[in-house]
Amino acid sequence: MSELASVMEKTAKGIMADIRSDWSKHKRPEGNAEIDFQIVKDDYDVVRGEYTAQGQKMWILEHGSGSKMDDEKENPDLPDYKRSELWNKERGKPPGNDESGNEIRSRGPYYDLDGNFHEGSSIAMPHGLNLEWETAGNGKPWKKVSPIKGQHIIRDNVTAASGESARIATMEDDLYNVLGHMADRYVMRGEGK
């Protein structure tokens, strides 16, 4: 691994620790939140790393849920999610007639974003219950599910400018130092003539 890749990897470990710490501050939503980093290219002229993240808690904390879920501008992966088997096809159908994307859960089996199996209750059939409503539509009380606004924890930690992040500022200093040492070695070997 090159010196530049080592600096990037060291910084990524710190950023991932910050992200995990931010995730742990949130009791809701339930679910998994995982992040990893690896160097995907380490050539003479290009060093590139890639973060990968997954899990229901990660997804919801990053992009929100229900009526507060990010739109496609904030979440470019939303169209793929809507086409997947994980998307609840009953969203926006009666009895709610709500096209805002509020969560509606119907009868039958479904899987959450972590792949855990659940069984819908069949309340408010045929299309299910808007979980953000106060009642089940039949006058019986129902535990309201509050939507969650996207926190953009990963985006904000990874893309922070050096003036906003001590980790990024340190990485920039370390990269300049490594580049300086590389240039010194290049000149000392006589390759710069």
Side-chain angles (χ1 to χ4, degrees):
M1 179 181 301
S2 72
E3 293 174 87
L4 294 173
S6 294
V7 169
M8 288 177 63
E9 193 168 71
K10 175 185 166 191
T11 303
K13 286 179 182 178
I15 289 171
M16 290 187 301
D18 292 344
I19 289 168
R20 290 182 186 111
S21 175
D22 287 347
W23 284 340
S24 71
K25 294 174 186 173
H26 296 270
K27 300 298 179 220
R28 281 188 12 145
E30 294 179 3
N32 297 328
E34 300 165 11
I35 189 163
D36 193 28
F37 177 85
Q38 69 179 41
I39 300 297
V40 294
K41 187 169 186 173
D42 188 5
D43 291 340
Y44 179 75
D45 58 344
V46 175
V47 177
R48 184 175 29 240
E50 180 177 273
Y51 291 92
T52 54
Q54 60 186 9
Q56 177 169 288
K57 184 171 187 168
M58 177 283 304
W59 182 270
I60 293 173
L61 285 176
E62 195 67 19
H63 298 294
S65 68
S67 61
K68 293 187 178 179
M69 187 186 315
D70 287 343
D71 60 17
E72 292 164 7
K73 181 179 176 187
E74 286 289 323
N75 179 3
D77 294 321
L78 185 59
D80 289 339
Y81 172 46
K82 286 181 173 180
R83 286 189 294 272
S84 79
E85 290 299 314
L86 295 172
W87 180 256
N88 182 357
K89 307 291 190 246
E90 296 298 314
R91 286 177 184 245
K93 292 184 179 178
N97 286 325
D98 186 353
E99 296 296 329
S100 68
N102 293 342
E103 183 69 19
I104 296 175
R105 186 56 65 201
S106 63
R107 172 177 47 194
Y110 66 94
Y111 292 89
D112 65 22
L113 297 178
D114 286 332
N116 298 314
F117 178 83
H118 299 276
E119 183 73 36
S121 68
S122 77
I123 294 175
M125 288 308 295
H127 296 293
L129 172 69
N130 182 324
L131 298 180
E132 293 180 21
W133 290 355
E134 293 286 351
T135 67
N138 58 7
K140 294 181 182 177
W142 185 258
K143 183 179 176 186
K144 180 179 177 179
V145 176
S146 298
I148 297 171
K149 184 175 179 355
Q151 302 298 304
H152 306 114
I153 292 168
I154 297 171
R155 181 193 70 192
D156 293 348
N157 275 280
V158 171
T159 63
S162 60
E164 301 168 14
S165 168
R167 289 196 190 281
I168 301 297
T170 300
M171 180 186 72
E172 289 173 349
D173 290 344
D174 291 348
L175 289 173
Y176 290 132
N177 287 333
V178 168
L179 289 170
H181 293 301
M182 290 170 67
D184 289 346
R185 287 192 300 266
Y186 182 75
V187 170
M188 289 171 62
R189 287 193 309 239
E191 296 175 10
K193 295 181 180 179

